[in-house]
Amino acid sequence: MHHAVGRPQVVAHRGSSFSAAEHTLGAYVKALDEGAEGLECDVRLTADGHLVCVHDRRVDRVANARGVVSAMQLAQLDELDFASWKNPWADLDDEAPEIDEETRRVLTLRRLVEAARDYDRPVDLAIETKHPTRYAGLVERRLVQLLDEFGWAGADSPARVMSFSWLALTRVKKLAPDLDVVFLLDRQHSWLLAKEVTSEGWAAGPGIDFLKENPRVGKWLRKLGRRMHVWTVNTEQDLDLCMDLGVEVVITDRPAMAIRHLDGGGDPTRPSG
């Protein structure tokens, strides 16, 4: 895992989504330029079997269209604009950055893996699989297939798979036993269940609100020696809590802020670098 020693790895949530449209290539590259050590993405399967990085089941929130991702073909998604919602007035604003056509189109996982692989330093990829029941295990099969093409399905892979579905992670482990997996937990997903089923070696992925509302859980996970990947950590206070709990990874919308705080303790009088 690539990060500065002695503190959690900083992973950008859907790219640097605080400052650019989430899940666009532009947001991810910006996050890397801001120093993020890993990228988090949500993947869904299109009707014609491509893995695309879209969070919601429908495209309505982030694209200029309506529709369910799993019912659309890649070519259809490709015609939509996934960036302009972030700055609808861009055409009237002289100061607005030019949006490169390539970065406003739907992002395929393949394209993101290539970008991570080709960046000028090592980059980790945290991939959350989203589950339309329509495709059962196909999402995991496609994902492992794709990672395997890049030589990223083995023990030293820079990629890891996250899910709220225990079944999905079990499938991933069957297909790629050495791939790292993270079992996501929040209010809806009882940590008691997690206690029962989380296999040895799996990381726990509690949400930050869940940890704050259930302080015993973090302490308990720590005592068990469980690795923790926590999302979405956007304040200095929440970063401090993660440090106290010995968290391995923080997923954040604000990678530059997180790195500054973790590396410098947020004290401007301390020398940085």
Side-chain angles (χ1 to χ4, degrees):
M1 186 171 298
H2 308 111
H3 62 114
V5 181
R7 67 148 168 82
Q9 182 190 56
V10 175
V11 171
H13 183 238
R14 305 184 203 169
S16 192
S17 44
F18 196 70
S19 45
E22 67 182 51
H23 277 134
T24 53
L25 191 58
Y28 282 114
V29 172
K30 185 172 191 335
L32 293 177
D33 293 344
E34 286 176 9
E37 293 145 339
L39 303 174
E40 182 267 349
C41 65
D42 306 279
V43 298
R44 292 180 177 280
L45 209 50
T46 62
D48 49 346
H50 293 274
L51 289 166
V52 289
C53 301
V54 180
H55 177 272
D56 302 359
R57 193 174 81 79
R58 304 182 61 89
V59 297
D60 307 24
R61 181 172 63 89
V62 293
N64 51 345
R66 302 174 63 79
V68 174
V69 175
S70 60
M72 298 170 83
Q73 301 206 337
L74 182 59
Q76 287 173 282
L77 286 164
D78 221 12
E79 284 165 16
L80 308 181
D81 179 333
F82 278 81
S84 57
W85 65 274
K86 189 77 179 183
N87 185 359
W89 305 105
D91 292 342
L92 303 174
D93 177 2
D94 295 338
E95 300 298 300
E98 280 295 305
I99 298 182
D100 163 20
E101 282 313 306
E102 173 68 12
T103 68
R104 71 193 306 158
R105 284 163 56 189
V106 68
L107 179 60
T108 62
L109 181 62
R110 176 180 297 277
R111 183 77 191 79
L112 184 60
V113 170
E114 287 169 353
R117 177 198 64 189
D118 297 341
Y119 202 70
D120 61 13
R121 61 178 162 78
V123 174
D124 278 9
L125 213 47
I127 304 164
E128 182 184 341
T129 61
K130 295 289 185 185
H131 278 89
T133 46
R134 193 178 311 188
Y135 297 131
L138 191 56
V139 178
E140 286 76 32
R141 283 212 301 284
R142 281 274 195 249
L143 175 53
V144 171
Q145 237 170 358
L146 176 65
L147 291 175
D148 199 33
E149 259 184 71
F150 286 83
W152 282 20
D156 50 357
S157 173
R160 52 185 173 265
V161 182
M162 307 193 298
S163 182
F164 284 105
S165 160
W166 178 76
L167 191 60
L169 295 180
T170 306
R171 284 193 204 110
V172 168
K173 280 300 210 181
K174 270 206 186 77
L175 297 164
D178 295 328
L179 210 52
D180 215 3
V181 298
V182 182
F183 186 43
L184 297 172
L185 310 166
D186 65 9
R187 294 180 191 83
Q188 280 80 48
H189 297 75
S190 158
W191 66 282
L192 289 171
L193 169 81
K195 189 155 103 174
E196 297 304 316
V197 301
T198 305
S199 312
E200 282 309 311
W202 290 24
I208 187 72
D209 295 337
F210 178 68
L211 277 185
K212 286 193 288 195
E213 284 159 27
N214 306 276
R216 291 194 0 250
V217 176
K219 295 192 177 92
W220 173 80
L221 286 167
R222 181 166 201 183
K223 201 169 90 188
L224 282 186
R226 281 259 183 257
R227 295 181 296 131
M228 276 182 274
H229 294 205
V230 180
W231 50 276
T232 304
V233 186
N234 288 337
T235 68
E236 299 192 341
Q237 202 177 355
D238 289 351
L239 285 165
D240 289 340
L241 173 64
C242 288
M243 286 282 277
D244 290 345
L245 288 173
V247 164
E248 182 175 85
V249 171
V250 292
I251 295 169
T252 177
D253 290 320
R254 309 177 66 189
M257 180 279 291
I259 288 164
R260 201 164 50 239
H261 184 68
L262 292 171
D263 287 346
D267 182 349
T269 59
R270 282 175 56 174
S272 61

